[in-house]
Amino acid sequence: MRRRGTLCLIAAASLLAGCGGSSSRPLAAGLPAVVVSSPEAPGWVRLLRSAGYAAHTGDLAALLGRASGVVPGDVSLSRSDRSRVVHWVARGGRLATANDELLHDLGIDRSGPTSGAAVAMQGLRQPAEWAAPLVVRPLVGSKLIPLARLVPGRGIVMAGAPSGSGRVVAFAVDPLGGGRAGYELLPEDASLVGAWLRAPPGPTARGAEIFVDPGGLRSGLASDPTRIAGALAAAGARVAEIAGWNYDFND
């Protein structure tokens, strides 16, 4: 009896330890989206921040502890890594990716190649024309919610999809591939990704620095620093620093 009781205690302790494991911890919501480190990662961070969302780079472990993130198309993931990401999404993680293998594991595949030169996209009144035609393999999946389609042809190049308790934003073309900044092919991608990921808002600029060349001002104003400061104040400026260099201004 004593041995059986000891075994039961050990089993109970093991179960409790399993319940407190990383797979059952709630995902950290309200924190910046994590972009998995890669050559493209800084571009993704800039892109999301430009749309007003908070994001920063991090490793795969950091992504799996957050509620939302991006796996860039140029990230190399092992089969085990991909399995962990799929499990994370199923638990409620929200992911954006152009990574082919990862999308396949999430149940999103590609059709045959087709050429496109423009897209119709949520958030745009008119199709966005590309600088040059591009060969694309459109997305295929039973649960896809199209966010951008080729024009003509209607092939899906960006889509959202539910996956378990989470959601995925999938790309048929890597927005930052080929040295792109991220907006050239899909101008609204940052806004759509941020909204689908429910990424928190990032810092917001409340002011701006304006540099004025006095030589470009109207006659009578160029050589009068007091009037320049007054004009800036009338326009809403709170601080005006007037410095002179080639004129008769006094520093």
Side-chain angles (χ1 to χ4, degrees):
M1 290 294 293
R2 184 174 181 180
R3 183 181 180 189
R4 181 178 296 175
T6 301
L7 290 174
C8 287
L9 287 172
I10 294 173
S14 298
L15 286 172
L16 288 172
C19 290
S22 61
S23 63
S24 61
R25 293 175 185 167
L27 301 177
L31 296 175
V34 172
V35 181
V36 177
S37 297
S38 77
E40 290 183 5
W44 267 109
V45 171
R46 287 192 297 271
L47 192 64
L48 289 171
R49 289 178 177 175
S50 72
Y53 295 101
H56 63 73
T57 58
D59 58 16
L60 186 61
L63 169 72
L64 300 179
R66 296 287 175 89
S68 61
V70 177
V71 174
D74 63 342
V75 170
S76 179
L77 298 174
S78 66
R79 181 178 297 179
S80 174
D81 289 338
R82 297 197 306 271
S83 177
R84 293 167 64 197
V85 175
V86 171
H87 178 64
W88 170 75
V89 173
R91 290 180 54 222
R94 299 183 292 273
L95 173 73
T97 187
N99 188 286
D100 286 342
E101 293 181 327
L102 182 55
L103 286 174
H104 174 76
D105 290 353
L106 288 162
I108 301 174
D109 289 310
R110 304 288 190 87
S111 65
T114 184
S115 179
V119 290
M121 190 174 192
Q122 281 193 18
L124 296 180
R125 294 183 179 181
Q126 300 292 332
E129 296 185 4
W130 295 347
L134 191 66
V135 175
V136 180
R137 295 175 58 221
L139 301 168
V140 177
S142 60
K143 298 180 180 180
L144 295 181
I145 300 171
L147 301 175
R149 290 180 179 271
L150 289 175
V151 177
R154 304 283 292 168
I156 301 173
V157 293
M158 180 181 177
S163 183
S165 296
R167 52 173 55 183
V168 178
V169 179
F171 293 89
V173 56
D174 188 346
L176 283 100
R180 290 183 287 267
Y183 56 82
E184 296 92 334
L185 302 179
L186 302 165
E188 292 294 310
D189 54 4
S191 297
L192 291 171
V193 167
W196 269 78
L197 297 186
R198 296 178 189 166
T204 303
R206 299 283 181 183
E209 294 185 25
I210 302 175
F211 295 89
V212 179
D213 177 7
L217 300 177
R218 66 178 183 270
S219 177
L221 188 62
S223 60
D224 191 333
T226 301
R227 291 183 61 192
I228 292 176
L232 291 171
R238 291 184 296 173
V239 178
E241 180 182 354
I242 309 297
W245 53 101
N246 292 330
Y247 286 86
D248 294 329
F249 287 8
N250 295 316
D251 290 340

